[in-house]
């Protein structure tokens, strides 16, 4: 497939936003799943999944647990290997590389190259307990991006300012609340200047009173940056706030898709309605 | 009893040899444990096989037999070791095999989420191990390592059988010359115990340090801050 076809042109253009200083800026790639298959043992989680995300688009994946949403993020972060199909990030395939005109499975070098564009925030934060907050934020930029220690520290300071934790720069992760840890994790992901950000149920592990703060932060980041955003969440108001498009999944397939207003206010599929009713009742 | 106490320079000399054997043997065991333990976590089945062969062979052979082999058998094919070298080699190889299992188990016990976060930051496989997994695994390794070092120290008593003048060797000498069997063996019992306690203390200190790095124990700065807060509050 010629690279120009990998990003579809029929998705409405999004207005470019002025990127705030510490936020990643630059052209964000689109994403495209092409007949992607993922199995765990005998269970097929994704079957011939096709979908596209335009550059800079912000998409939320909703659906019952086990419907394959998180698997999609994990495939994109190269934490899981697909069993079939192609995943495009911009003009390149994530899990395959070109060799003598043939498509062969990606090696470590190709994955390393592709991962430069992608960042992820996890449900359980996953901060490194053997490093303080500053080191959590500088380790990647110094070791992977080759920034000088001073540059990395400066970047970390700006990001901690952004997430409202400038005073915690020397703190140990275990001394922070869940909400604070998640803010640090968001800053850590942004410090790598990804062009695609994956959010995997980022508020599910937080105490209720801490959820809003983290959501507000992410909404601001989403608005002020031009990242391509893929978000899995059970918080429907957050999904409405943060995304321009919502995909409803069930059993590894897309049941329905549309703008947040269309999906949440006027869903057409019975399965979507059923799911939304169940989520709202809880 | 006074005869035994009079022979204390002999005993101290022996104790010093025992300490040397322990330190050198542990250093070798640590290197082997890390190398073969990490091999045991490798993706490649061939590299993992290296770990299995090493662990199974040296865990399954008696240290004494190994030592005899290095000291008495290898010279027959022209390989001659000093007694000390043969002793350190056999002690290190044996304890290193147990240590390799400790390293492998500890690395595997670090939560997978940590590995995933390291991948998400695009760290290379070597950086993931060196910067994220291993520092956390060390915390799990330390207590069993402490046991192994003490095990090695006690096991080193067998080196007296290849003419090394360690604590046990000296005790036999003193017992021969004084006839004080009871007090001689009481004396080295106590000395072995004291050495073990010192080793145990060192391991404890290392554990505390690692716990502090991992934030499981309030650090010095934190304690100071709390003291200040208490003062201000009071």
């Amino acid at each position: 497939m010629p690279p120009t076809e990998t990003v579809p042109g029929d998705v409405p253009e999004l207005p470019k936003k002025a990127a705030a200083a510490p936020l990643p800026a630059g052209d964000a790639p689109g994403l495209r799943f092409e007949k992607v298959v993922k199995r765990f043992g005998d269970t097929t989680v994704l079957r011939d999944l096709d979908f596209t995300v335009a550059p800079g688009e912000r998409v939320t994946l909703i659906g019952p647990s086990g419907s394959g949403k998180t698997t999609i993020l994990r495939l994109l972060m190269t934490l899981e290997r697909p069993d079939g199909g192609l995943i495009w990030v911009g003009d390149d395939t994530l899990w395959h590389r070109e060799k003598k005109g043939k498509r062969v499975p990606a090696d470590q070098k190709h994955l390393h190259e592709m991962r430069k564009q992608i960042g992820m925030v996890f449900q359980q934060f996953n901060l490194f307990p053997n490093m303080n907050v500053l080191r959590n934020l500088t380790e990647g930029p110094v070791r992977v991006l080759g920034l000088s220690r001073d540059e990395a520290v400066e970047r970390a300071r700006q990001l901690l300012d952004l997430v409202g934790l400038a005073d915690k720069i020397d703190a140990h992760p275990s001394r922070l609340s869940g909400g604070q840890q998640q803010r640090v994790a968001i800053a850590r992901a942004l410090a790598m200047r990804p062009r695609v950000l994956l959010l995997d149920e980022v508020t599910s592990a937080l105490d209720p009173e801490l959820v809003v703060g983290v959501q507000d932060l992410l909404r601001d980041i989403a608005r002020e940056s031009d990242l391509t955003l893929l978000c899995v969440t059970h918080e429907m108001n957050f999904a409405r706030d943060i995304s321009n498009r919502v995909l409803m999944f069930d059993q590894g397939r897309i049941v329905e898709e549309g703008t947040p207003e269309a999906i949440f206010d006027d869903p057409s599929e019975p399965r979507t309605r059923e799911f939304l009713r169940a989520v709202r009742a809880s | 009893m006074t005869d035994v106490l009079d022979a204390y320079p002999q005993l101290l000399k022996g104790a010093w040899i025992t300490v040397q054997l322990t330190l050198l043997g542990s250093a070798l065991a640590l290197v082997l444990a890390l190398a073969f333990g990490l091999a045991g976590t490798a993706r490649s089945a061939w590299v993992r096989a290296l770990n299995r062969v090493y662990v199974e062979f040296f865990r399954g052979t008696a240290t004494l037999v190994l030592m005899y082999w290095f000291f008495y058998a290898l010279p027959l094919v022209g390989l001659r070791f000093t007694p000390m070298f043969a002793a350190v080699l056999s002690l290190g190889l044996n304890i290193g095999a147990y240590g390799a299992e400790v390293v492998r188990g500890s690395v595997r016990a670090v939560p997978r989420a940590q590995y995933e976060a390291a991948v998400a930051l695009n760290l290379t496989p070597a950086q993931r191990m060196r910067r994220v997994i291993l520092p956390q695994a060390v915390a799990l390794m330390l207590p069993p390592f402490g046991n192994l070092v003490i095990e090695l120290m006690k096991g080193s008593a067998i080196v007296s059988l290849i003419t090394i003048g360690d604590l046990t060797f000296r005790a036999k000498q003193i017992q021969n010359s004084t006839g004080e069997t009871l007090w001689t063996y009481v004396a080295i019992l106590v000395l072995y115990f004291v050495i073990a306690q010192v080793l145990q203390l060192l391991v404890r200190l290392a554990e505390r340090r690692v716990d502090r790095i991992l934030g499981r124990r309030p650090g010095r700065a934190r304690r100071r801050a709390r003291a200040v807060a208490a003062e201000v509050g009071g």
Side-chain angles (χ1 to χ4, degrees), chain B residues 1-12 174 177-178 180 183 187:
Chain B
M1 188 187 159
T2 46
D3 288 348
V4 175
L5 290 182
D6 285 345
Y8 80 92
Q10 291 272 76
L11 286 176
L12 284 187
I174 295 167
S177 61
T178 64
E180 284 265 25
W183 290 112

Side-chain angles (χ1 to χ4, degrees), chain A residues 184-227:
Chain A
V184 173
I186 291 165
R188 178 175 72 171
L190 292 175
M192 297 300 285
R193 301 266 161 101
R195 307 306 309 123
V196 178
L197 189 62
L198 311 171
L199 304 176
D200 185 16
E201 308 220 22
V202 290
T203 58
S204 300
L206 299 180
D207 291 337
E209 73 271 20
L210 302 174
V211 167
V212 174
V214 170
Q215 288 181 347
D216 286 351
L217 170 66
L218 284 169
R219 200 185 40 218
D220 291 348
I221 289 169
R223 290 201 178 139
E224 284 166 27
S225 72
D226 53 2
L227 289 162

Side-chain angles (χ1 to χ4, degrees), chain B residues 23-129:
Chain B
L23 294 181
L24 291 172
S26 299
L28 177 63
L30 181 65
V31 171
L32 292 170
L34 281 174
F36 284 97
L38 288 181
T41 65
R43 202 180 287 244
S44 147
W46 288 106
V47 181
R48 282 204 311 275
L50 275 178
N51 159 281
R52 289 330 299 164
V53 169
Y54 169 72
V55 169
E56 296 305 342
F57 184 78
F58 286 102
R59 209 168 47 171
T61 47
T63 316
L64 180 62
V65 176
L66 208 58
M67 202 170 63
Y68 278 167
W69 203 75
F70 283 128
F71 193 63
Y72 295 119
L74 279 186
L76 300 180
V77 294
L79 263 176
R80 215 164 284 279
F81 298 133
T82 64
M84 197 67 180
F85 191 83
V88 167
L89 206 57
S90 34
L91 288 169
L93 282 167
N94 178 255
I95 294 295
Y98 288 97
E101 286 298 85
V102 171
V103 170
R104 190 173 66 99
S106 305
V107 165
R108 289 171 59 119
V110 173
R112 194 178 153 74
Q114 289 292 311
Y115 158 85
E116 293 182 349
V119 171
L121 283 187
N122 210 3
L123 298 181
T124 64
Q127 289 169 335
R128 286 172 217 157
M129 183 56 78

